[in-house]
Amino acid sequence: MGAAKEVGRSAVLLDTGKSKVLLDYGMKIGDADTPHPSYPLPIHGYLDAVVLSHAHLDHSGSIPFLFRAAEPKVITHTSTVPITQVLLEDSMKIARLKKNDIYTSSNLRAMLRNTNACGYKKPQDVTSDISVELRDAGHILGAACTMVRDKKTSVFYTGDFKDTPTYMHNGAKPPPKCDAIIVEATYGDREHPDRKALEKEFIADIRAVVEAGGSVLLPSFAVGRSQELVTMLYNNNINVPVFLDGMSRAISEIYIDFPEVLANYQTFYSAMKWANWINNPRMRDTVFDEPSVIVSTAGMLSGGPAVRYIKELGDVDKSAVFFTGYQVPGTPGYRLLADHSYDADGFELDFSDTLVRYYDFSAHCDKHGIHDFIKASEANVVIVNHGDTEQCEALRSWAESETGAYSFAPSLRDKIKLEDYL
């Protein structure tokens, strides 16, 4: 129903003939080629439940729309609920401004009212014939891989996952054996750099900038990445002021409330106390008074306080902008990274004298981790989604040749009858 040979608007419908359970129902944020958001295919007929893998809008962004006509149960991890609420409320405000809104505040309230929050490894009966069990996906706070079972078939849905440890998470454990696995392919044919070596390079580059008298802007995703970066800076004893701004603050407060699902809560909590939280506009006026590091939303410079900082940063000697997340083509961050220019209200700002770099601190598995998950599942059926066509086809081809499983990279509207392959 979505995320078929593309990243965004994740949606997979499981139909037993007796029950219907939807895995995610996201949205795809507009870009330069497609300025308006896009949504999954509509759900026709009765829907029993939605299992939300995690809070990111490409997985959660369209769920309130379902509540215009129905009230299915929503199953998700306890910590996902408050993060999802923050992201959906923000998304709704932006949609109203752009006249792209597809649901109302009452739809969102109905969604939250019908949400059943649960912990990891606690099987839940969703319908009379379907149960689900959430497992830590290691992606962001509350992210879950989902095991779905009916009376004769088991399906493992990875959602977005990361199998190696970070400051925030221990990494997803391999799945149990199952009949079918639905696996993300965001990096289906790519490798990530060694994380420890990358962190060493990243910290050395920050130190070089601030020791020369400059400041570093870290445009950052509010959920997961901002918290990871502040903890990383704290753990490496960065000795200049580190500022935290934007939606990252509200999300960090939620992270603080869930110590049981973080890898090293005490380090994270100490880092949050150590950082300077921007709580009013006057504080923003002071960040460049001395060498500093600013962690601020938005991660692609498409909004948030980072936009204010980038406009001022060009006038700061020996300054730098370091991206730590993927920059979607057409976004302001992509353009800054590609040609060192930024469109500020119709005026072109030249950043040719500013150090602009990208560091791949991905919260997704690379191809090796995905391969290990598929092998561990011993699944007869491998279904690949949440990746561009090249990534999905590369992973489908590998799964077919290396595991002998029936392997699919579905297009929108494709149906797979599992009993034909088991």
Side-chain angles (χ1 to χ4, degrees), residues 187-200:
Y187 294 92
D189 69 350
R190 303 178 195 173
E191 298 179 23
H192 295 317
D194 178 81
R195 200 170 184 92
K196 289 185 178 179
L198 183 65
E199 179 179 335
K200 186 176 180 180

Side-chain angles (χ1 to χ4, degrees), residues 7 28-32 221 299-300 325-335:
V7 176
K28 187 173 185 178
I29 306 298
D31 55 29
F221 305 129
M300 299 183 197
Y326 177 69
Q327 301 299 299
V328 172
T331 60
Y334 180 87
R335 187 177 178 193

Side-chain angles (χ1 to χ4, degrees), residues 16 110 132 175 248 268 320 382 419:
T16 68
V132 301
S248 303
F268 163 70
V382 176
E419 66 181 8

